[in-house]
């Protein structure tokens, strides 16, 4: 808890997570309780690299604040929105419970809060910005009020998949059985150090825009898709067990296959929704076909795609495949410009592709279709930033100029 | 039966059918027995209009023929292919049964046959060319040998959905229960005259090519898609009953909604297949979105799409909607050239679109994306052509020059 004279400020970062067993559909829209369990990999926030995906949030509280206020990427937005208020209420409730009747607690729970949050990636592009956003908000508020322990349940109230961003590595979100949602929480299956060879590429597709938001989309699916119901009740429980085993055993082939199958099944239920929802576009389909050709050429599953509610691909592979696959991507989707911004994140080595590989895998290139490729790894959960210069809100509780 | 001195020749035409409850997946690949029942509308062959979809087939038999021979669209192909031979064997078996020991029967069952078949539409473009093709083959062979009665079971041995092209109007193909397939037959629910207002547009998308053939595709789906199994066992039986009721009651709104939902669910199971199969491309997705905007604007289901194993759309509507919807399609996908080949088939009137309709429905036009629009209706089953000038094989049993 960071208490200062006047304004208390805390700044955290939180990670994006990418589900390998997908969450789609709520059984309780108010408490945000899912119709099935899900499982994800937390992406690295790597503070030293400006291009790694993360959200940064400063929460501030002060006697003098007259209302809750919220800035997203420098723009003030309505702080009365129910999900933000639900998170705030829940953190305060936990703080109250923890303090008991200790009137000497440093920060009054009645103070209004100011919150500023920034993503270093495009929002609403199917890159789980709300997951990182609410995980970051809840982490910062919890630190501000000195609350510790299980917080995924609180983050879930902001955005379902945010609960998975409260932990690093490999995380499962239990569906839970209770109507009050107390058992619908995230749990770490293994830390990010468990599988050091696992590498991740995010392929950001050009000109993408999200047609149907996931909140509205998943509810239409619950209401209209017979296949989603079957998936949630019958398919996912078995897949959760199987995926946990793949991760435990670091069995990349089985992990990759199940990851691709579950991504495809999620998008199948979107198509079974009425009216149907399409998140995969022609470029997504080309990436899928490319991955299958690459694997077929090698005679085994060396790379595996997954797509959330948008056309961008997240591709898993082991470290020894990164250089070659990146070169295959570059040949299949030649960068528009000179390409110096094409590769971002962790370093990638050069690879010379064998002729047979090129002729079997690189067919019909589409220049400019992929905007950039981000190389990343599994990473830890939310982080506290100690350096006061990194606060997004000044001592006056208003946004700093830098954005 | 057409018997001539020397060479006996029979020429038939057969229609394309479009499923509104889709067939996808066999439980017996040899006998071609489906995992679920299906229901289709037979499209009109309209002999007077050159652009209507149909297959024409001449079957000839002669003492002098030394081997079975087959010409498809003027090219000779291997007549030993198992599906052709299965149809031939089954027709001969029925002829033998019918004749008993009548040695005076006019045409020897031991004669070899020559068959020539022509489609007036692109094959393998998801327009059910094999359905019309085998229905036509079986019709012509049956006439040649004087076989009458239930022939859908024979056509099914050529191509599953061919059994539905053996009847006109609204046709269901019963899944059947018997392992020998004797009860897996087509049955007419209602003739083409039952619903005279029902109109059909085929939107032929530019540059389409079929990536995965339906025979291979559906077997991969049976092997890998958990959702397909559930669809076949649980979803389709209920939908068959409901669709038959929609047709009986001529309830276009219910018919249209269920048609769209079932098309979407079929494509969802393709996506749930591993590796996934995509038949819908960006243009298909745009047509789907256009139909939903059109219906939303009118506040009810006035048009309904369905897609088979390809990107081309078949769109149902009542007669009074054709002119307006065609104009909406023309504005949304402006023809490349002067557009005089854009509209084919039955005549379409002009329509002046209200401004609100245009601004609500015609967004982001894509010039040239639709090659042409074919206007058609439900129609009858296979037809015998009496005019000898229409035979595709000459008295010598070889293809005539005209193609």
């Amino acid at each position: 808890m960071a208490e200062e004279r006047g304004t208390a400020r805390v700044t955290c970062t939180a990670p994006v997570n990418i589900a390998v067993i997908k969450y789609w559909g709520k059984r309780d829209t108010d408490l945000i309780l899912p119709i099935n369990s899900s499982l994800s990999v937390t992406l690295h926030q790597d503070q030293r690299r400006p291009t790694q995906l993360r959200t940064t949030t400063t929460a501030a509280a002060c006697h003098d604040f007259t209302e809750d206020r919220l800035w997203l990427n420098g723009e003030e937005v309505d702080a009365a929105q129910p999900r933000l208020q639900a998170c705030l209420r829940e953190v305060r409730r936990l703080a109250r419970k923890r303090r008991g009747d200790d009137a000497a607690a440093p920060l009054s729970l009645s103070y209004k809060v100011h919150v500023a949050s920034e993503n270093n990636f495009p929002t609403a592009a199917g890159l789980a910005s709300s997951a990182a956003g609410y995980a970051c908000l809840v982490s910062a508020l919890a630190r501000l009020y000195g609350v510790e322990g299980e917080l995924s349940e609180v983050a879930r109230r902001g955005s379902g998949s945010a609960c998975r961003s409260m932990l690093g590595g490999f995380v499962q979100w239990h569906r839970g059985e209770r109507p009050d949602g107390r058992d619908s929480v995230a749990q770490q299956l293994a830390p990010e150090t468990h599988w050091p060879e696992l590498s991740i590429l995010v392929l950001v597709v050009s000109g993408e825009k999200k047609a149907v938001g996931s909140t509205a989309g998943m509810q239409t699916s619950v209401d209209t898709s017979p296949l989603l119901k079957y998936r949630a009740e019958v398919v996912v429980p078995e897949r959760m067990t199987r995926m946990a085993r793949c991760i435990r055993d670091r069995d990349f082939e089985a992990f990759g296959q199940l990851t691709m199958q579950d991504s495809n099944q999620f998008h199948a239920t979107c198509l079974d929704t009425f009216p149907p929802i399409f998140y995969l576009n022609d470029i997504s389909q080309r990436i899928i076909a490319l991955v299958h050709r690459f694997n077929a050429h090698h005679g085994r599953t060396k790379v595996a795609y997954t797509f959330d509610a948008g056309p961008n691909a997240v591709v898993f592979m082991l470290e020894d495949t990164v250089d070659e696959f990146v070169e295959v991507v570059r040949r299949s989707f030649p960068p528009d410009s000179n390409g110096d911004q094409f590769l971002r994140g962790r370093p990638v080595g050069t690879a010379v592709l064998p002729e047979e590989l090129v002729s079997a895998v690189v067919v019909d290139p589409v220049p400019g279709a992929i905007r950039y490729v981000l190389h990343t790894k599994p990473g830890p959960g939310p982080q506290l930033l100690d350096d006061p210069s990194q606060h997004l809100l000044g001592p006056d509780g208003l946004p700093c100029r830098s954005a």
Side-chain angles (χ1 to χ4, degrees), chain A:
Chain A
M1 191 186 56
E3 175 71 357
E4 295 176 19
R5 184 99 202 107
T7 304
R9 289 179 294 170
V10 169
T11 298
C12 289
T13 66
V16 165
N17 72 79
I18 179 81
V20 290
I21 301 292
K22 301 291 189 191
Y23 153 56
W24 194 252
K26 302 178 181 69
R27 63 181 202 276
D28 183 316
T29 53
D30 181 39
L31 294 173
I32 309 193
L33 301 177
I35 59 172
N36 58 255
S37 297
S38 54
L39 202 157
S40 61
V41 180
T42 299
L43 304 193
H44 211 294
Q45 304 157 69
D46 203 340
Q47 312 296 346
R48 298 158 309 168
R49 300 182 199 273
T51 56
Q52 295 295 58
L53 305 176
R54 64 176 165 271
T55 294
T56 306
T57 299
T58 299
C62 176
H63 174 269
D64 300 335
F65 292 171
T66 56
E67 53 176 351
D68 294 332
R69 296 179 71 180
L70 173 64
W71 291 263
L72 290 184
N73 295 316
E75 297 277 310
E76 182 158 14
V77 298
D78 184 10
Q81 49 174 292
R83 289 176 168 209
L84 174 75
Q85 288 297 326
C87 291
L88 198 47
R89 194 172 54 242
E90 289 299 304
V91 173
R92 284 178 175 141
R93 190 178 57 76
L94 292 174
R96 199 169 294 119
K97 198 162 135 194
R98 187 182 163 83
R99 293 177 184 184
D101 294 320
D102 179 6
L107 188 69
S108 169
L109 293 171
S110 65
Y111 289 0
K112 299 294 180 185
V113 297
H114 286 190
V115 174
S117 188
E118 286 180 1
N119 295 318
N120 67 336
F121 52 91
T123 52
L127 281 174
S129 56
S130 67
Y134 279 103
C136 210
L137 171 76
V138 169
S139 301
L141 287 174
R143 286 282 190 157
L144 189 71
Y145 289 113
V147 174
E148 284 165 0
E150 161 52 42
L151 290 165
S152 73
E153 197 198 332
V154 181
R156 193 199 72 223
R157 299 292 300 274
S159 173
S161 54
C163 72
R164 296 188 313 240
S165 276
M166 295 300 285
L167 295 158
F170 303 85
V171 180
Q172 55 182 323
W173 173 15
H174 297 284
R175 175 195 186 281
E177 298 297 332
R178 293 176 52 150
D180 66 3
R182 288 277 174 269
D183 56 351
S184 189
V185 295
Q187 178 193 24
Q188 188 180 67
L189 276 177
E192 65 273 20
T193 51
H194 166 73
W195 198 350
E197 303 82 12
L198 191 66
S199 300
I200 300 165
L201 298 177
V202 182
L203 276 48
V204 179
V205 166
S206 297
E208 85 313 294
K209 54 180 177 198
K210 193 164 168 180
V212 177
S214 54
T215 299
M218 68 172 69
Q219 229 35 48
T220 311
S221 295
V222 168
D223 293 341
T224 63
S225 169
L227 300 185
L228 179 61
K229 193 172 141 63
Y230 178 75
R231 163 177 165 73
E233 289 173 5
V234 178
V235 180
V236 169
E238 182 273 328
R239 288 188 172 179
M240 284 294 292
T241 309
R242 193 143 51 99
M243 185 61 90
R245 200 166 52 226
C246 297
I247 291 169
R248 187 197 63 195
D249 300 344
R250 299 184 201 90
D251 179 347
F252 185 81
E253 287 215 61
F255 168 83
Q257 280 177 35
L258 189 50
T259 293
M260 293 188 278
Q261 285 171 325
D262 207 68
S263 174
N264 294 337
Q265 186 168 93
F266 154 54
H267 292 281
T269 64
C270 289
L271 186 41
D272 190 47
T273 299
F274 193 75
I277 303 168
F278 295 94
Y279 290 122
L280 304 176
N281 65 17
D282 272 3
I283 302 305
S284 317
Q285 293 183 15
R286 282 172 186 274
I287 294 168
I288 288 172
L290 177 69
V291 165
H292 285 290
R293 285 196 304 271
F294 186 86
N295 289 337
H297 177 77
H298 283 292
R300 64 182 208 273
T301 300
K302 291 194 77 175
V303 295
Y305 54 78
T306 187
F307 294 82
D308 275 353
N312 301 315
V314 175
V315 186
F316 293 96
M317 67 205 68
L318 296 181
E319 211 159 50
D320 59 8
T321 308
V322 170
D323 300 352
E324 182 176 88
F325 188 71
V326 164
E327 185 57 22
V328 164
V329 168
R330 195 205 297 271
R331 298 279 285 266
S332 303
F333 305 98
D336 259 341
S337 60
N338 59 12
D340 57 351
Q341 289 290 300
F342 188 66
L343 269 182
R344 306 184 187 181
R346 300 172 60 86
V348 174
T350 55
V352 177
L353 303 183
E355 250 331 297
E356 323 86 72
L357 175 68
V358 174
S359 60
V361 176
V362 180
V363 298
D364 200 10
V366 186
I370 290 184
R371 196 141 57 90
Y372 65 90
V373 174
L374 175 71
H375 180 206
T376 184
K377 295 281 267 184
Q383 305 286 305
L384 178 69
L385 296 188
D386 286 322
D387 176 0
S389 75
Q390 295 182 291
H391 288 319
L392 302 177
L393 295 170
D396 57 355
L398 295 175
C400 309
R401 305 127 313 279
S402 75

